[in-house]
Amino acid sequence: MARHIHVLKVHHLTLSFPTRKDPNPKPVLDDVDFGIRDGEILGLIGNSGSGKTMTSLAIAGLLPEGAAITGGSIKFRGQDLLTMKPRDRRKMLGSEIGMIFQEPSTALDPLMKIGKNLDEVLVAHGVTDPAERREKILSTMKTVGFDDPATIYERYPHQLSGGQRQRVLIAGAALLAPKLLICDEPTSSLDTVTTVQILDLLKSLCRKLQMTILFISHDLSAVSNFCDRVMVMKDGKIIDKDTTSDILTNPKNAYTAELLTNARLDTRMLGIERAHVDYTSSPVLTAKGIEAGYSDRIFGKGSDNKVLKGVDLEIYPHEILGLIGSSGCGKTTLIRSLLGLLPHTGTASVVGRRIGAVFQDPVSCLNPAHTVKWHLNEALRVAEKKLSKEERMAKISAALSEAGLNDEFLGRKPHQLSGGQRQRVAIAMCLITNPGIIIADEPFSSLDASSSAEILKLLTDINRERGTSFLLVTHNIHIIRQIAPRVVVMDDGKICESGLTNEVLSSPKASATVRLLDAETKLHGA
Amino acid sequence: MTGKQTAAYFIRKAVELLATLLLVSLFTFLAFSVIPGDTARVMLGANATTEQVEALRAELGLDRPLPVRYLSWLGGAFTGNLGNSTQYRTSVGGLIVSRLPVTLGMSVLAFCMIILISYPLAVLSSRKPGKFADQVCSVLGHILFAIPPFVLSLLLIFITGSLFKRVSVGSYTAPDVNFGMYVRSLMLPAFAIALPKIAMTFKFLRSSIIEQKASDYVATAKSHGLSDYKIMFRHILPNSNVSSITVISLVLSDILGGSLIVEQVFNLPGLGRLLLSAISQRDFPLLSGIVFYLALVTVILYFAADVFSSLSDPRIRIR
């Protein structure tokens, strides 16, 4: 077979979702044209809805029902994929084209042991000898970094961590050493430390198995140390294509430059100003000796598992307090305890007004059956009961406009909003109760770079103008460095380090902080 | 799960079973004592004198106070003696056992029909939701679910009676007389019982399969190059089974109680008709015996559903 410089060549690909009413809708992919060179790692960057995932699904032949390719071709090692029989195309999946998805927690069949989940791949591609299959699975699991593959082989998916599951999925995709590996946001649900490990793994696999990788992400800065070349996608078109270093240092396209600003969260460019915090005043929130956990006792036997092992915390007026730590350190449990959503021991006292909360996933926070107005009204009813209809409406539109939305949105339901707009509604629901403190749990992690930057600006504006204190939980140290004057680091249910952000991050003492900073440096560069 | 935990689980389930039976019997007893009508009066007929009725009441022990009557019955029940039916004058246990072949036979047949029909239909229907096959199945399901069992039974008799002359309608053959005839005589009533349950199970399975189809692990399986057939049978169906177990156990406990209407229409000596006569004749020992059986079946099925769920889903641990 002739050697091709391009493993995959996508030629003027156009894709749309025609319906009976609208046979010629606006294309989802519009004249997409690129090639992936043998052995390279190509990044595909864009905001949500830009067509990244559709591009990957078109290559794999797993497009959702209703999608129609109206033009162009996809050639894999010289073969035209679009004219192939579906059966032959399916045979290619797993053996020549591998895929890894975003959500490792749900990407494995929960009823099957890890070994069985992987075994299927080999069975489907005609490896008939069980001993040979087992041997191959164990050796691949070793390659993806499991020291004791035989144990993991017998585990069920729910017994593994997110990072471990993603390794299993990478093992599944790499079992037959496919030529092309498509990774669709493989790290966006993982914490920074795990992200770095997974990226390192992919890079080494790429070299070891001579794979080519198409790496899809919404975070431009996250791909900087990983990809050889980067493409930027917007509205179904590829608008910029260059080597990674050129894109990062010298973006020629205006949109790329904007993405870069957003990804770096450059506070000066975004016009973010810090509020002045007076640390001599008395704190608005004081928590002492918070302990919480769960128990799996049956008839008094079994054990108590403490997730929080005595946490002390103070938040001052006007302050944004950053809370960082890797997954499983107890951040979420702490927040839930502070909000009174979990049974806990210890005391948490708030001075003055109530606590508001903004959560990670704005999709599941809003009731899909109701309008924006209903949500705000509900929130207001909790805070203030005796208000006339006019007063209510005035408060609702004031909160909405403070969150950066206008009255047009009042009648919309959650599915008619973008991710960033939903998060704004969640923030408006918080503001309408006039809270003294807002606890924000990873409010950016489900948003793309542009929306994150906007929400970040909104939160800092609220902090400065209203004087609202924030407890900002995130695994993005970069954000903390930019906007939080003080930071606490959690590890294993305890606060292992706290102090002024500059001091903690420039001379970290706890090992957990060092780990987080190392990962951060590897991921985003110094 | 350790052996100790398993033992603890079974002990707790046994205690639960006993408590349920105790409460059920108490409620039955109380309900029976507040409804109007007197056992002795019903047995002797309208022409009996007050003395005769009183004498029979004394003989049956009905003149004793309520708690005493309940405790003496309970004592009997715990030693395995459910008492004698006041209308048939034979042991309640024997009566129930004599009716079981009808009810159990129908239940087994109906259950097989439910599984054999609803699963293939659900798989077929969920292949292309909203398309022709799915629409036909869904509309049929709604119709079957909406028709009252009484009408459904009559319709079935009419259709089969005029189409297949060889199917015997309205006659029952005991299994020890002729097993083939026994199965044949129960076929049609079992079908009448099964039809609405098929509609119900189908609807549940269909939505469960469609939900599983959209899940991430199915996308992974596709990306591994697995065929649609394999994905359906190795991933989607086992996963939808986990949630179906509860529904199926509900269906089973329902059909094991016997169907009053279907038995009436097909003239079958099943548990449903026995229950009806127990109530109308104020036959308390018989009634409580049947209720006892129903409670037992329900509790055991729930227990079995728990065990099956934990066997089929490693995330569910029986506790």
Side-chain angles (χ1 to χ4, degrees), chain A residues 130-359:
Chain A
E132 186 192 337
R133 292 203 300 263
R134 193 184 156 87
E135 187 50 41
K136 179 130 190 112
I137 291 168
L138 292 181
S139 72
T140 311
M141 282 170 85
K142 201 141 204 160
T143 317
V144 300
F146 287 113
D147 296 328
D148 186 9
T151 316
I152 304 286
Y153 190 95
E154 296 297 328
R155 291 264 167 88
Y156 283 102
H158 72 276
Q159 296 166 321
L160 304 185
S161 71
Q164 283 177 316
R165 279 182 233 184
Q166 195 60 289
R167 279 176 198 279
V168 170
L169 287 159
I170 292 173
L175 266 177
L176 294 161
K179 197 71 209 136
L180 174 69
L181 186 63
I182 303 171
C183 307
D184 190 357
E185 310 236 11
T187 57
S188 57
S189 65
L190 303 174
D191 69 39
T192 325
V193 178
T194 321
T195 298
V196 170
Q197 291 167 351
I198 294 291
L199 291 183
D200 281 348
L201 170 66
L202 285 173
K203 205 158 196 169
S204 75
L205 276 181
C206 183
R207 250 178 276 121
K208 224 182 270 178
L209 305 174
Q210 288 163 346
M211 285 196 298
T212 307
I213 294 182
L214 175 63
F215 187 86
I216 296 169
S217 176
H218 63 244
D219 189 355
L220 189 49
S221 68
V223 301
S224 56
N225 287 353
F226 181 66
C227 297
D228 302 313
R229 283 193 308 141
V230 175
M231 301 189 292
V232 178
M233 211 166 180
K234 189 195 178 194
D235 298 333
K237 289 191 185 96
I238 290 179
I239 55 160
D240 201 1
K241 212 176 346 184
D242 216 331
T243 59
T244 309
S245 58
D246 273 355
I247 287 252
L248 290 178
T249 52
N250 184 22
K252 292 172 195 77
N253 187 294
Y255 182 71
T256 311
E258 189 191 322
L259 273 186
L260 209 54
T261 312
N262 289 332
R264 287 183 178 151
L265 290 171
D266 193 322
T267 40
R268 249 179 322 129
M269 300 276 271
L270 293 168
I272 290 173
E273 287 170 50
R274 281 195 194 183
H276 176 72
V277 186
D278 180 8
Y279 284 110
T280 54
S281 60
S282 59
V284 282
L285 182 141
T286 318
K288 276 211 163 57
I290 304 272
E291 289 188 1
Y294 56 92
S295 106
D296 50 8
R297 281 172 184 279
I298 300 173
F299 289 147
K301 288 189 184 133
S303 58
D304 286 329
N305 294 298
K306 279 227 172 84
V307 179
L308 293 181
K309 301 165 182 168
V311 173
D312 299 334
L313 199 71
E314 282 166 347
I315 303 175
Y316 292 89
H318 301 271
E319 182 185 37
I320 295 179
L321 176 63
L323 174 59
I324 54 177
S326 51
S327 319
C329 70
K331 289 178 302 200
T332 304
T333 312
L334 175 63
I335 293 168
R336 302 208 153 188
S337 302
L338 290 178
L339 289 170
L341 299 176
L342 271 187
H344 58 273
T345 55
T347 57
S349 54
V350 185
V351 179
R353 296 171 292 172
R354 52 180 69 239
I355 306 183
V358 178
F359 294 102

Side-chain angles (χ1 to χ4, degrees), chain A residues 62 90 93-94 99 101 103 106-112 116 120-121 123-125 156 158 169 172 298-299, chain B residues 4-5 8 12 131 216-217 219-220 222-227 230 234-235 238-239 242 312-315 319:
Chain A
L62 297 175
R90 203 180 61 220
L93 284 177
M99 275 190 102
F101 299 97
E103 201 45 72
T106 49
L108 287 162
D109 187 337
L111 307 186
M112 272 189 189
K116 263 256 166 297
E120 267 189 347
V121 189
V123 174
H125 292 285
Y156 283 102
H158 72 276
L169 287 159
I298 300 173
F299 289 147
Chain B
K4 240 182 192 172
Q5 279 171 314
R12 198 169 44 237
K131 289 289 156 61
D216 291 345
Y217 68 82
T220 308
K222 278 187 186 164
S223 82
H224 285 166
L226 263 66
S227 64
K230 264 204 170 156
R234 292 189 47 114
H235 293 285
N239 271 286
V242 174
S312 54
D313 189 342
R315 289 166 301 179
R319 37 173 69 214

Side-chain angles (χ1 to χ4, degrees), chain B residues 125-235:
Chain B
S125 214
S126 55
R127 275 178 76 92
K128 290 198 166 128
K131 289 289 156 61
F132 184 72
D134 180 36
Q135 299 242 334
V136 170
C137 289
S138 295
V139 169
L140 264 179
H142 285 150
I143 293 173
L144 288 178
F145 202 64
I147 299 179
F150 170 66
V151 180
L152 201 62
S153 305
L154 286 180
L155 267 177
L156 278 177
I157 291 179
F158 175 71
I159 294 169
T160 46
S162 52
L163 285 184
F164 317 99
K165 300 277 186 268
R166 291 192 53 206
V167 177
S168 51
V169 173
S171 68
Y172 168 70
T173 314
D176 44 345
V177 178
N178 183 336
F179 195 78
M181 286 296 285
Y182 160 74
V183 173
R184 211 182 291 168
S185 64
L186 292 182
M187 261 331 212
L188 211 53
F191 194 51
I193 294 176
L195 271 176
K197 308 287 181 205
I198 290 171
M200 183 176 144
T201 318
F202 158 77
K203 212 170 161 50
F204 184 84
L205 265 176
R206 175 187 169 274
S207 57
S208 171
I209 291 175
I210 290 174
E211 189 190 317
Q212 296 296 337
K213 264 194 165 172
S215 60
D216 291 345
Y217 68 82
V218 170
T220 308
K222 278 187 186 164
S223 82
H224 285 166
L226 263 66
S227 64
D228 287 351
Y229 174 84
K230 264 204 170 156
I231 292 176
M232 176 58 82
F233 285 94
R234 292 189 47 114
H235 293 285

Side-chain angles (χ1 to χ4, degrees), chain B residues 16-32 70 73-74 284 287-296 298-299:
Chain B
E16 265 175 47
L17 174 67
L18 279 180
T20 311
L21 290 181
L22 204 68
L23 280 175
V24 165
S25 71
L26 182 64
F27 285 138
T28 321
F29 192 83
L30 287 177
F32 204 71
Y70 176 63
W73 176 83
L74 200 62
F284 175 70
L287 174 76
S288 54
I290 296 173
V291 171
F292 217 86
Y293 157 83
L294 292 178
L296 198 68
T298 311
V299 174

